[in-house]
Amino acid sequence: MAIEHDFFGLLESGPDGSIFWSENVDLGDQTVTVDLTAPDQDDVSEAALDVAASLISSIESIDRTARNAMVSELDDRTSEVIEYILQQQDHLGDELEEMLVDNSGDVQVDVIRSLQLMGMTILADEHGGADPFAVLEYALDPDATDDVILVNLDSDGDVLSVTSAD
């Protein structure tokens, strides 16, 4: 079986009924991998695909929303954003400053500005549910795949949570 959608084209299901779509999209001067997945195509609605297409089309705005959510967590000294930044400072030491795209003097904000959006995973079967519909994966060093921070979004594009990949 398959699902046809204006944005995604023909989404064919695998032998187990799952669907998967992947594409690289441009965000400024970088390329972001966007994956759409669902374990069972029967759980994917046309509305979910419309929302997913909207999120992908507005990836710049979604990125800005995610970064603002990370900045808002800087007030909480126990947040995973703070823990991530401290981990990067400890791990990179003096090399951290070389990785920053901006050096405003506020290292925490500069780290958030310097994070690269590595990927967006859309869990199409979670449309309208309490679990994340989209997960944005950020890294300061694109080669350090274990050192990432995740921003979980609902199907309205609102931030549910910011977590580390631990």
Side-chain angles (χ1 to χ4, degrees):
M1 284 191 33
I3 301 173
E4 181 131 17
H5 189 268
D6 290 340
F7 184 89
F8 297 104
L10 189 64
L11 295 169
E12 295 192 37
S13 62
D16 61 353
S18 66
I19 61 169
F20 181 79
W21 175 91
S22 186
E23 190 76 32
N24 290 327
V25 297
D26 292 327
L27 175 64
D29 60 353
Q30 73 179 57
T31 301
V32 178
T33 301
V34 178
D35 297 326
L36 179 131
T37 184
D40 187 345
Q41 80 169 21
D42 293 337
D43 294 337
V44 179
S45 67
E46 183 80 19
L49 295 176
D50 290 345
V51 170
S54 174
L55 290 178
I56 295 167
S57 297
S58 60
I59 195 163
E60 287 182 31
S61 173
I62 296 297
D63 176 52
R64 203 171 21 259
T65 298
R67 290 177 195 271
N68 287 340
M70 286 186 259
V71 168
S72 71
E73 292 208 5
L74 294 177
D75 292 337
D76 179 0
R77 295 291 167 206
T78 62
S79 75
E80 295 206 31
V81 174
I82 292 288
E83 288 180 30
Y84 177 84
I85 292 169
L86 292 174
Q87 174 192 22
Q88 294 304 303
Q89 287 175 314
D90 185 51
H91 178 69
L92 296 169
D94 293 336
E95 294 176 28
L96 176 66
E97 199 166 309
E98 297 170 20
M99 300 183 92
L100 301 178
V101 295
D102 189 21
N103 196 346
S104 70
D106 186 338
V107 175
Q108 295 172 339
V109 171
D110 293 343
V111 166
I112 292 170
R113 286 183 185 151
S114 302
L115 291 171
Q116 293 185 41
L117 177 56
M118 305 304 296
M120 172 192 273
T121 301
I122 298 172
L123 308 163
D125 59 318
E126 295 296 339
H127 180 254
D131 290 330
F133 179 72
V135 180
L136 305 178
E137 180 179 319
Y138 289 89
L140 190 57
D141 178 0
D143 297 326
T145 55
D146 290 339
D147 293 334
V148 297
I149 195 157
L150 306 173
V151 178
N152 300 300
L153 305 174
D154 64 15
S155 43
D156 292 327
D158 297 325
V159 175
L160 293 172
S161 63
V162 180
T163 61
S164 62
D166 296 343

